[in-house]
Amino acid sequence: MSQLTESPAWKALQAHFDEVKNVHMRDLFAQDERRFQKFSTKMDDILLDFSKNRITDKTFELLVNLAREREVEQWRDRMMSGEPINISEFRPALHTALRNRSNTPVMVDGENVMPKVNRVLEQIRYFSERVRGGHYRGYSGHLITDVVNIGIGGSDLGPHVVCDAMKPYAQRGMNVHFVSNVDPTHLTEILKFVQPESTLFIISSKSFTTQETMLNAHSARDWFVKLTGNQKAVARHFVAVTTNQQAAADFGILPENMFEFWDWVGGRYSLWSAIGLPIVLYLGMERFEAMLEGAHAMDLHFANTPLEKNIPVILALLGIWYNNFYDAQSHAVMAYNQYLRRLPAHLQQLDMESNGKTIDRNGNRVDYLTGPIIWGETGSNCQHAFFQLLHQGTKPVPADFLAPAQSNNPLGEQHCILLSNFFAQTRALMQGKTEAEARAELEAAGMDEDKIREVLPHKIFEGNKPTNSIIFEKLDPRTMGAILAMYEHKVFVQGIIWNINSFDQWGVEYGKQLADDIYVCLHEKGDASCYDSSTRGLIEHAMNLNFTD
Ligand code: G6Q
């Protein structure tokens, strides 16, 4: 047995689970008028209502005890103070320093990193203001109207979700595009809509060696040179965000157009760093800073709020309750906001890359479930698709619902209907529909008794499906920053409780190695006999179909 499953807090939860696992939330609400007041908390205008969860006062107390026993508070302080808690890469995880608006010193190996964080922010401010103000132009004097970010994984998903979500705050006449996939279709389709003389390419890659990004970067450069016939203009139209300045220089990028970040910034935590450059070009520095402020406010909430009222801690503990005691395999995120349509994609990486681990911090295989499968879709679209499974399926799917109280685009009564759907769904998932209620509905509709007997079982909803509701005033840069930071800290707390390193990603690194020798075999139409019969069969079939390079 592991230290976690042997710990007093875990054992107390296990015993308690056996007592409460069949308790229905409908009854808990009926017994306690103050359930919402008790199980909700706020940071600024962000409300977390977690009362629609399968918890009693005792459950909550035991979950908080677990966080205390696992020393979440101490680990949080260790992370934020720059200790090298990423033990398999021997480095700190300091994304909080990137948005440390208080500017208090943060030490890494005896050096305060805040001056370099601030220096790069100033470089970004200067560059973005010149581009947005029309002082930095294309080689032939055209305004820059299009920014194409070439990057993948953490060098794509974070800035992409933010640019999508913050569209109403973007500068008119400035477009941003994201190319990530090595499928040539991705770059080709975007290049169809931009002109080389008014396009700025950002090559975003921490390592500047990632195959997909480098191939897309070279293709973009070839396209640019072919259309302009001007090799020298590459230096004006290509900038880099990277920790590998030599490789960026070799590509043809000028030192003043390189935006640095550091190895203590993990890819999926990097949107707060220079990886946020496309955000700044699109929204402006002021709004990027508002986003940093929002994230910093969430950092302070995480650092200073008692565990019982601490939003990321509560989200993490509830996730553990379902993951480890109810064996929930997944967790869904439903944003009732069209601008947040890429939030599940970002959270998939953040959560599954961080906590998709089997080996604990001591090098032992865990004997409990770790990170869940994250998925989701915007509301109300999701209701017309997979909600059937949430309401009546056999799998437990705890879910977060998010929405702003105000729409960025008021139009008729649509936002009111959107919110009504959110509240109705979470209520229905909690309450369900009893046999008596279903029967009464059918009788009121005039159905005869024979038919009622036939359909009744299908019309019953068990309910007792847990949801967290997160409501905020408006989706603006500050709130966006706070929400993203909230999820980062949730993932961190879960990683601490599961005793895993949330900051490495050896599975991703492995993927980067894998394709190379197969590429040689495919490209040179070589001998595939060294592979297993499936891989060989696939290679040979692609060759027979005359695959294209
Ligand atoms: C994120 C991962 C991974 C990484 C990409 C791109 O945490 O490390 O998604 O961001 O593989 O890597 P580069 O930025 O080095 O190109």
Side-chain angles (χ1 to χ4, degrees):
M1 294 289 256
S2 65
Q3 278 177 359
L4 175 62
T5 51
E6 280 292 284
S7 70
W10 191 271
K11 285 184 164 172
L13 274 165
Q14 189 62 63
H16 173 72
F17 173 72
D18 293 335
E19 286 163 16
V20 298
K21 62 183 174 216
N22 295 322
V23 170
H24 202 293
M25 279 191 272
R26 200 189 307 124
D27 300 325
L28 296 174
F29 271 95
Q31 286 157 16
D32 187 354
E33 267 295 301
R34 290 188 41 79
R35 192 170 164 85
F36 169 78
Q37 282 79 358
K38 204 187 279 173
F39 293 138
S40 59
T41 183
K42 276 174 82 176
M43 194 222 66
D44 297 346
D45 60 312
I46 303 175
L47 169 85
L48 166 65
D49 166 21
F50 59 102
S51 58
K52 293 195 187 84
N53 276 287
R54 297 174 70 166
I55 55 169
T56 63
D57 293 358
K58 183 79 185 162
T59 321
F60 190 54
E61 185 190 320
L62 293 177
L63 285 168
V64 172
N65 285 349
L66 176 69
R68 287 229 163 78
E69 192 182 275
R70 303 302 291 172
E71 301 187 337
V72 164
E73 290 147 299
Q74 290 85 337
W75 278 97
R76 170 195 67 200
D77 297 345
R78 293 172 72 183
M79 171 178 74
M80 289 185 171
S81 67
E83 272 192 42
I85 61 166
N86 177 354
I87 46 165
S88 70
E89 294 182 308
F90 317 104
R91 51 177 82 143
L94 264 184
H95 38 290
T96 47
L98 300 168
R99 57 212 191 201
N100 172 19
R101 309 305 287 166
S102 66
N103 208 27
T104 46
V106 180
M107 308 302 285
V108 174
D109 294 332
E111 182 201 359
N112 177 13
V113 298
M114 289 315 298
K116 41 188 192 185
V117 168
N118 294 330
R119 177 175 46 73
V120 174
L121 282 174
E122 279 316 305
Q123 187 195 359
I124 292 173
R125 179 196 306 283
Y126 177 73
F127 181 73
S128 63
E129 284 174 357
R130 288 183 66 222
V131 173
R132 288 165 58 86
H135 307 297
Y136 186 106
R137 294 182 174 228
Y139 76 100
S140 57
H142 279 78
L143 289 175
I144 298 295
T145 57
D146 290 87
V147 173
V148 177
N149 189 80
I150 300 182
I152 196 166
S155 301
D156 166 73
L157 289 158
H160 201 163
V161 66
V162 172
C163 287
D164 255 31
M166 295 292 100
K167 200 170 183 179
Y169 301 92
Q171 168 156 313
R172 275 181 89 105
M174 181 62 87
N175 306 301
V176 66
H177 316 267
F178 289 86
V179 176
S180 52
N181 201 338
V182 74
D183 180 342
T185 298
H186 202 175
L187 179 65
T188 306
E189 283 297 333
I190 282 168
L191 293 182
K192 280 184 192 166
F193 296 98
V194 298
Q195 307 304 322
E197 59 276 8
S198 54
T199 300
L200 182 77
F201 291 91
I202 306 175
I203 315 302
S204 282
S205 176
K206 183 172 171 181
S207 58
F208 225 79
T209 55
T210 303
Q211 202 179 39
E212 294 94 325
T213 300
M214 288 304 110
L215 284 166
N216 279 327
H218 282 99
S219 298
R221 191 178 62 183
D222 293 347
W223 170 87
F224 180 86
V225 173
K226 188 168 166 215
L227 291 194
T228 61
N230 190 337
Q231 177 73 39
K232 273 175 74 183
V234 166
R236 191 143 193 89
H237 285 261
F238 285 76
V239 303
V241 180
T242 187
T243 58
N244 184 351
Q245 285 155 3
Q246 185 54 53
D250 295 344
F251 184 87
I253 289 172
L254 298 175
E256 62 267 32
N257 289 342
M258 289 179 200
F259 298 85
E260 188 191 5
F261 65 118
W262 308 277
D263 69 354
W264 41 263
V265 182
R268 55 198 172 278
Y269 300 89
S270 64
L271 71 98
W272 320 100
S273 72
I275 289 287
L277 183 61
I279 305 174
V280 188
L281 289 165
Y282 192 46
L283 304 182
M285 192 65 190
E286 220 173 283
R287 286 174 172 142
F288 185 67
E289 283 176 330
M291 217 181 77
L292 298 181
E293 298 281 354
H296 181 57
M298 185 55 77
D299 294 344
L300 293 179
H301 168 89
F302 179 50
N304 301 324
T305 309
L307 300 182
E308 292 80 358
K309 288 283 169 196
N310 196 309
I311 294 178
V313 173
I314 294 169
L315 291 174
L317 291 172
L318 292 167
I320 285 179
W321 182 232
Y322 298 117
N323 189 70
N324 295 94
F325 296 91
Y326 286 89
D327 286 338
Q329 299 294 319
S330 76
H331 182 93
V333 180
M334 258 70 74
Y336 276 61
N337 183 284
Q338 191 58 23
Y339 285 125
L340 287 175
R341 64 182 174 274
R342 290 196 61 84
L343 186 64
H346 174 67
L347 296 183
Q348 273 172 345
Q349 182 191 31
L350 173 66
D351 202 319
M352 294 164 77
E353 207 169 283
S354 297
N355 287 342
K357 313 280 164 68
T358 316
I359 299 299
D360 72 13
R361 296 179 70 87
N362 309 321
N364 300 320
R365 201 184 163 86
V366 296
D367 60 356
Y368 42 84
L369 292 180
T370 58
I373 297 157
I374 303 291
W375 57 291
E377 177 54 272
T378 50
S380 60
N381 296 358
C382 50
Q383 295 173 202
H384 300 266
F386 52 78
F387 265 36
Q388 169 59 36
L389 184 144
L390 265 55
H391 283 291
Q392 290 189 308
T394 53
K395 299 193 167 52
V397 184
D400 294 349
F401 281 60
L402 302 97
Q406 298 170 20
S407 172
N408 285 93
N409 302 298
L411 192 66
E413 292 171 353
Q414 285 172 229
H415 188 67
C416 184
I417 294 289
L418 183 73
L419 276 186
S420 309
N421 271 289
F422 171 142
F423 298 150
Q425 287 289 339
T426 51
R427 180 174 148 81
L429 286 163
M430 180 275 285
Q431 282 209 316
K433 193 187 285 179
T434 62
E435 182 174 339
E437 287 164 348
R439 168 174 279 283
E441 269 183 22
L442 296 173
E443 284 171 354
M447 193 178 274
D448 66 52
E449 184 55 30
D450 281 352
K451 278 213 172 106
I452 289 183
R453 258 202 306 275
E454 226 174 278
V455 299
L456 192 55
H458 304 279
K459 298 277 191 170
I460 295 168
F461 292 77
E462 281 176 12
N464 221 9
K465 318 281 186 193
T467 57
N468 296 311
S469 298
I470 298 165
I471 308 281
F472 40 91
E473 189 178 341
K474 198 168 182 175
L475 188 65
D476 59 16
R478 185 181 164 92
T479 303
M480 186 72 196
I483 289 173
L484 295 175
M486 170 187 87
Y487 277 113
E488 289 178 354
H489 295 319
K490 170 200 167 179
V491 167
F492 168 77
V493 171
Q494 293 190 328
I496 292 304
I497 291 176
W498 289 322
N499 192 29
I500 53 179
N501 178 9
S502 300
F503 297 106
D504 62 11
Q505 56 285 314
W506 295 108
V508 175
E509 310 299 335
Y510 183 44
K512 291 186 183 185
Q513 292 168 7
L514 284 178
D516 286 355
D517 63 328
I518 294 195
Y519 164 76
V520 174
C521 174
L522 269 179
H523 185 65
E524 293 173 3
K525 305 227 171 353
D527 177 14
S529 61
C530 59
Y531 298 112
D532 60 87
S533 64
S534 164
T535 309
R536 185 167 67 237
L538 294 170
I539 291 172
E540 288 171 359
H541 189 63
M543 284 179 183
N544 289 339
L545 295 179
N546 295 323
F547 77 92
T548 49
D549 248 347

